[in-house]
Amino acid sequence: MDSLGALNAFVQAADARSFTQAATQLGVSPSAVGKAIARLEERLSVRLFHRSTRSITLTPEGTLFLERCRRIFCEVEAAEAELVQTQEAPRGKLRVSLPMAGMLLMPTLAAFMRAYPEVEIDLDFSDRMVDVIEEGFDAVVRTGEIGDSRLMTRQLGTFHPYLVASPAYFEKHGMPAMPRDLEQHHCLHHRFPSTGKLEPWPLVQDGVALNVDVPVTAVSNALEPLIHMAEEGLGIACLPDFTVRRQVREGTLVPVLENQLRRCGTYRILWPSSRHLSPKLRVFVDFMAANLFPTNGASSEPV
């Protein structure tokens, strides 16, 4: 703390170009300011000021040191502001990037908005790999593993692929008993908006990946149309389980070949590791982890 006091005396004197004015601002005597700076110069083994009977001016070393000191005090102010923030209620704008399937996360997001009405949600839907820091996002929700040492991440939960179609479709076309039976069915595919490629169906037999020539009846770069087409009896779709949980529960969609699908998929929320976890971001991360996939465990770790 003595060192911080000396640094503060130095910064005040450098700004005022006067030990007397610095002393007035600090509420001490001019001699106390002069002695503090003299001790600082002695400890650093460098002269910080050129002194005359009428004024003081910074030496080149003093100018360099002043820049560093300003950064130190900015960090101190930021630390104090962060501590004050932790006592505040969550409020302000929260900018979040979500995958295109994010519309299917809206019930959870709507529940968050009701729970924290003073937090303004700014949602950006995109499947591209956004630069969280450069593009100014507070948080990003994505699937899979993402390696970026600048980010912190928390697992929100896992999901599994489902092959689903309506009862009317299966009544008309029959249920596939094995993966290769799909070659005789109408199949509804998802196209990745970022690459334009069709998302492969993760079919397996005895744990070994299968290369099945799955017919293409319709293609969409969003999941909602595929769900609608499947409910309308137009074909079989491969969709994440959480997107059709309600339909399966209500019986409007029926899953098939559940044991012939690779179990994979993780949703994560990411945010800049250098950024203080403000109240609005903290409650958002905790809320999403607790409510998006409530049966899955979640943990925080560096990417």
Side-chain angles (χ1 to χ4, degrees), residues 12 18-31 33:
Q12 295 293 340
S18 165
F19 287 172
T20 300
Q21 291 186 36
T24 300
Q25 292 169 356
L26 294 171
V28 298
S29 67
S31 63
V33 172

Side-chain angles (χ1 to χ4, degrees), residues 80-89 276-279 282:
E80 291 175 350
E82 287 175 1
L83 287 177
V84 171
Q85 271 192 340
T86 61
Q87 307 303 316
E88 296 178 347
H276 171 64
L277 205 61
S278 62
R282 184 180 299 279

Side-chain angles (χ1 to χ4, degrees), residues 105-117 287 291:
L105 311 181
M106 283 309 300
T108 303
L109 292 169
F112 173 81
M113 294 173 68
R114 285 191 290 269
Y116 298 98
F287 191 92
N291 295 282

